[in-house]
Amino acid sequence: MNRFQGIDRLRFIGAFCIMLLHTSMGDLNSGVEVQLRLLGRWAVPFYFIVTGYFLGSKFKNGSLPFVQIEKNIVKLFTVLLVSSVGYYFIDIYSKTGTIGIENIFIGTYHHLWFIGSMIFGYFIIWFLHFLNTQKYLPILALIILIAALFSDSYDQILGFNISYNLPRFLSSIPFMYIGIIVRRKEELIFSLFPTKKVTTISLISLFLFGWFLQLLEAYGFWKFYHYHMYNHQLLIGSVVMGISIFLISLYLFQKEDILSNLGRRYTLFIYLYHPAIYFMMELVIFRYFSGYLSKAKMVFPIIGFLIALGLGVFLNRRFKRVFKILNGNII
């Protein structure tokens, strides 16, 4: 049995959660919108952890030869390049983008930082092993994770705002490290649970705990520091949710089905091009149905997700070469 069906399935669901985070929802009740956004915050940590998990299989006798990650880095650079070219024209049309040296690392659109961060994570983890200083990786990962949590929300305790941009970019490192540890200790982790039922209940309980903790954190910052619950990107509860969802993806839902197939084939495409779908949707509705934009945005994530998926399926079936290029497979 392919034990990665669960990962593919959760990747697919995670793509929808990412789309929840990348649009406002118009006339939808603000409290409901905040809850939906918080509920989707597991997705980014999950994707980084998955990357680290597969990276964990590439180590050879404790070392990490560059040849083991070369294909991954080339693919990610290609993805970043191809998608950045496409979004550059959207930036020109909307007159919102600026091109600078940072675009080499974070692309030309707001969501592409994730790809650059993953590339950087690969390089740093490889470089530490190359220098034989991998013993410092846990310390570095912990420092970055604390910095990310602090700069996103916990800086409010001190009464000022610290930019989240750099810690967010570096956050691939701690989450990829978590994935590596899970890969190495997987049997030990799951041996702690005596039965499948206990494992299932424990993992679901861990997710619910993370969700509740995240709500508690967000409410606390709003109550005591007047920091809006809409603004949070990474809380301690988000980390717990991401880890628990990943462990669930390893242990549950291992039977292949349509969701796992869709996740394997189309998650990357949906992630890369959903902002372009949103852009076109807003353009069309604003031009022809401007009075209904706020109401339409209530269902933007659902409609946008279906359009992105449908477009991906169409291109994969009718224009396979185009689909491959858009996903970074240009060779």
Side-chain angles (χ1 to χ4, degrees), residues 19-40:
M19 292 190 69
L20 284 174
L21 304 176
H22 287 169
T23 183
S24 61
M25 298 179 201
D27 288 342
L28 188 68
N29 178 275
S30 61
V32 173
E33 182 176 358
V34 164
Q35 297 304 319
L36 289 173
R37 289 176 63 83
L38 288 174
L39 189 60

Side-chain angles (χ1 to χ4, degrees), residues 123-182:
F123 267 118
I124 291 299
I125 293 171
W126 165 78
F127 191 62
L128 288 175
H129 283 80
F130 176 76
L131 295 178
N132 200 29
T133 55
Q134 61 268 28
K135 65 181 179 181
Y136 298 112
L137 180 56
I139 300 172
L140 177 64
L142 181 60
I143 291 173
I144 292 173
L145 183 58
I146 292 173
L149 290 167
F150 188 78
S151 61
D152 178 60
S153 300
Y154 280 85
D155 54 353
Q156 299 303 307
I157 297 175
L158 300 181
F160 56 84
N161 293 312
I162 300 175
S163 174
Y164 181 55
N165 290 338
L166 180 58
R168 182 183 68 169
F169 183 78
L170 298 176
S171 65
S172 59
I173 297 170
F175 289 118
M176 287 174 69
Y177 178 67
I178 290 172
I180 292 170
I181 293 301
V182 172

Side-chain angles (χ1 to χ4, degrees), residues 284-310:
V284 170
I285 294 173
F286 183 77
R287 182 163 185 173
Y288 297 105
F289 311 98
S290 58
Y292 297 94
L293 181 60
S294 291
K295 293 189 180 300
K297 295 199 79 170
M298 294 173 65
V299 292
F300 252 40
I302 297 173
I303 302 302
F305 183 78
L306 293 175
I307 292 174
L309 175 60

Side-chain angles (χ1 to χ4, degrees), residues 34-55:
V34 164
Q35 297 304 319
L36 289 173
R37 289 176 63 83
L38 288 174
L39 189 60
R41 285 298 176 191
W42 61 267
V44 170
F46 168 80
Y47 284 129
F48 281 139
I49 293 171
V50 168
T51 302
Y53 178 80
F54 288 116
L55 176 60

